[in-house]
Each structure stands twice: as C-alpha cells, then as structure tokens.
C-alpha cells in the first residue's frame, strides 16, 4: 500500500492536579494526515486545511513535519520521501492539545509509510520533538503521550519519556468546552510562578495521588475529591473570562470535577455518565454565553485507542 490516513485525537491534560503529568484523549476532534510516498527525500507538507492559514507549510516549522523528520533521522532514513496533507479538525490554541495531535499524527504517519518499524511508545520522543517547537521549547508529555497511546497516561518522567497507562473505571465521560478565546501555551506557561509554597505542594501531591488511586479503584468520590488544582488554576483562570461561573455550572450539574484543559482556554468536566456530561456541556456553554463568549462543546468517553492508522 502506498498511502495512509492517520488520525490523532484531541486531549485533555493536567486534569486539575497533575500539571504536565497526566492526560487523556477524547473522540471526535483531532488531526488527520493523508500521507503518501514521494520520490523527493524528506517530508513535504503539500496542504493544510482547517487551520485558517495559522500553521506553517515549511516542514522544519511544522510540528507534524518536525516529528516525522525526527523519526526519519533516528532510523537513518533521510533518503525516504513523503508528502503530508494535514487536515486540522480541531481548534488551535485551545488547550485541547492541537500541536500534540499534529506532532503525533506526523510521527505515526511516517512510521506507517515505513512499514511500522517503531512501536507507539518508541515514537514518543519524536512526537515530543515536534510538539516542543510549538510550546516554547519545554518538554511535557501530558498531551503527546495520551494522544499517541490512548487512555489515561501518567508521565513518571517527562525527560526520560517514562510514561504509564493507568487503569480507569469504565463509563467516565468528558464534557469539553472551547470558548472562542485564544491562549498560547507559551504565554500561559510564562505567567506561572516558579515557586510553590510547601503547603500547596503537599495539597496538590495529595490530590494527584488521590486521583490515581481513585481511577484504579473506580472510586468516583475519591476522584471527585481529588480533581482540584490549588497551584495552576488560581494563576491561569484569570486568562479565561467567566471561568469561575463555568466551573460552578459544571459542578452544579454533578460533574466529578471541572478545571482548565491544558493551558486553556478550554474547560473540561469529568463526569460519571453521558447524561451528566451532556448537561454539564450545556450549562458550561450557557455560562460562557452569559459573558458574551461563544463556544464549542464536545462530549466524549475516554478514547482508549489514541492515534489510529486507517
Ligand atoms: N501541561 C501543559 C500546560 C499543557 O498546562 O502548560 C499544554 O501543552
């Protein structure tokens, strides 16, 4: 076979208490790449749709291009040629892991064209290299790893690409609402204080531990008690007009927890059923609307598969 279609899903990362350490993908939005062999060595990005001209066609500036070239370099296959048609099927600068989805799709697409010499886990450093150019140079795998591998993924060490997939109860749903505001990840990172008071560190560590134990035990009450961010959310929420009202609206509808998705501005609510997630999405959109902000809402189960080759 000559060509492949690859899909890499949008992701929710941080999950309130796990800044840079944990995330999961959803179904629906994401990046699609149509990849074909070419006689010209290297990766040529021949088109990008759905990005309103905001993404570069130059391979070395494009997260999918950088990730794919990193795979070729690692395998000593710089002689290999490919073309990518990128179809962005999710918003950019949304806190839904847009750059990670591109980078993962690029790495998975070139790997498929090469006959899959690398496993998904082995692709992680190369997908991460792609995402790095969009995130101001910092390495954080909380979008890339779940996008690639599917399910809840915890990063034991962002520098050594040591990641683990977590067990999680079935039936969890996510309501994800993207308000039409733009926040660049680099900017949302630059406002964070480098210092964390010891008391906050202890609280946040307890919440992250509680979340992971809650996921393993299927203990929804513990998950709910743990989905709290005492460090990052208080600093970033001011970038999102109406955040407090949106969060209150989701919790009033029975969400297990609600916080900023990634660097924002999207806001997620984790819910125990599709009915609650639908109600949360509606209430969250209404709360944004009251502030004069339009939004898109996505309701999904946890995507257990991650990136997919068709
Ligand atoms: N963990 C990252 C952040 C996600 O919150 O800045 C955005 O890429």
């Amino acid at each position: 076979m000559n060509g492949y279609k690859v899909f890499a899903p949008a992701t929710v990362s941080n999950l309130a208490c796990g800044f840079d350490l944990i995330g999961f993908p959803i179904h629906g939005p994401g990046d699609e790449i149509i990849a074909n062999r070419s006689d010209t060595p290297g990766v040529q990005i021949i088109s990008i749709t759905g990005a309103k001209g905001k993404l570069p066609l130059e391979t070395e500036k494009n997260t999918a291009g950088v990730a794919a070239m990193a795979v070729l370099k690692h395998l000593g296959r710089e002689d290999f040629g490919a073309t990518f048609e990128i179809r962005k099927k999710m918003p950019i600068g949304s806190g839904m892991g847009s750059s990670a989805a591109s980078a993962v799709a690029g790495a998975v697409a070139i790997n498929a064209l090469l006959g899959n010499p690398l496993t998904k886990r082995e692709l992680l450093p190369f997908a991460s290299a792609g995402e790095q150019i969009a995130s101001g140079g910092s390495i954080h795998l909380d979008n890339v790893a779940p996008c690639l591998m599917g399910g809840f993924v915890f990063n034991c060490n962002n520098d050594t690409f040591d990641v683990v997939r977590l067990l999680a109860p079935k039936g969890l749903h996510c309501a994800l609402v993207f308000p039409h505001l733009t926040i660049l990840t680099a900017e949302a990172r630059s406002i964070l204080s480098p210092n964390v008071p010891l008391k906050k560190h202890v609280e946040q560590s307890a919440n992250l531990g509680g979340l992971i134990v809650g996921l393993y035990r299927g203990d929804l009450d513990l998950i709910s008690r743990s989905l709290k961010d005492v460090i990052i959310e208080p600093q970033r929420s001011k970038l999102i007009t109406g955040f407090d009202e949106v969060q209150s609206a989701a919790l009033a509808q029975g969400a297990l927890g609600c916080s900023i998705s990634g660097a924002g501005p999207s806001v997620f609510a984790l819910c125990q059923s599709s009915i609650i997630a639908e109600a949360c999405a509606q209430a969250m959109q209404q709360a944004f609307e009251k502030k004069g902000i339009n939004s898109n809402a996505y309701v999904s189960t946890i995507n257990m598969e991650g990136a997919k080759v068709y």
Side-chain angles (χ1 to χ4, degrees), residues 75-150:
L75 295 171
R77 292 299 312 271
E78 284 106 326
D79 60 309
F80 190 86
T83 60
F84 282 0
E85 293 165 48
I86 299 176
R87 300 171 181 174
K88 185 133 281 285
K89 297 188 168 180
M90 64 179 293
I92 298 168
S94 57
M96 294 167 55
S98 165
S99 54
S102 282
V104 166
V108 170
I110 201 78
N111 193 46
L113 284 177
L114 289 162
N116 292 311
L118 300 177
T119 63
K120 278 186 168 185
R121 185 176 281 272
E122 287 168 338
L123 287 173
L124 190 53
F126 313 112
S128 167
E131 206 220 357
Q132 227 180 317
I133 63 160
S135 62
S138 68
I139 297 183
H140 45 92
L141 307 173
D142 52 336
N143 291 109
V144 167
C147 175
L148 191 57
M149 296 163 65

Side-chain angles (χ1 to χ4, degrees), residues 120-276:
K120 278 186 168 185
R121 185 176 281 272
E122 287 168 338
L123 287 173
L124 190 53
F126 313 112
S128 167
E131 206 220 357
Q132 227 180 317
I133 63 160
S135 62
S138 68
I139 297 183
H140 45 92
L141 307 173
D142 52 336
N143 291 109
V144 167
C147 175
L148 191 57
M149 296 163 65
F152 284 87
V153 179
F154 178 70
N155 311 331
C156 304
N157 188 324
N158 275 310
D159 298 323
T160 58
F161 304 102
D162 183 2
V163 301
V164 286
R165 277 184 100 215
L166 302 177
L167 291 181
K170 288 199 168 51
L172 286 179
H173 281 68
C174 173
L176 182 59
V177 175
F178 164 54
H180 297 174
L181 309 163
T182 300
I183 297 179
L184 297 176
T185 300
E187 179 201 334
R189 295 182 80 82
S190 71
I191 64 158
L192 297 176
S193 165
N195 302 312
V196 176
L198 191 58
K199 188 173 178 298
K200 296 286 174 202
H201 163 72
V202 173
E203 267 183 77
Q204 194 90 334
S205 303
N207 285 339
L208 181 56
L211 173 62
I212 293 171
V213 172
L215 288 171
Y216 267 77
R217 285 192 177 166
D219 183 338
L220 298 181
D221 285 338
L222 180 56
I223 292 172
S224 183
R225 294 200 300 280
S226 306
L227 276 172
K228 297 195 170 67
D229 180 355
V230 297
I231 296 174
I232 307 297
E233 186 187 290
Q235 299 180 72
R236 278 185 173 166
S237 58
K238 53 182 167 292
L239 300 175
I240 306 168
T241 309
F243 175 81
D244 291 347
E245 291 83 350
V246 169
Q247 186 182 53
S248 300
L251 296 175
Q253 292 299 328
L256 296 170
C258 172
S259 188
I260 303 168
S261 175
S266 294
V267 180
F268 80 97
L270 197 62
C271 304
Q272 67 188 87
S273 72
S274 62
I275 292 177
I276 295 176

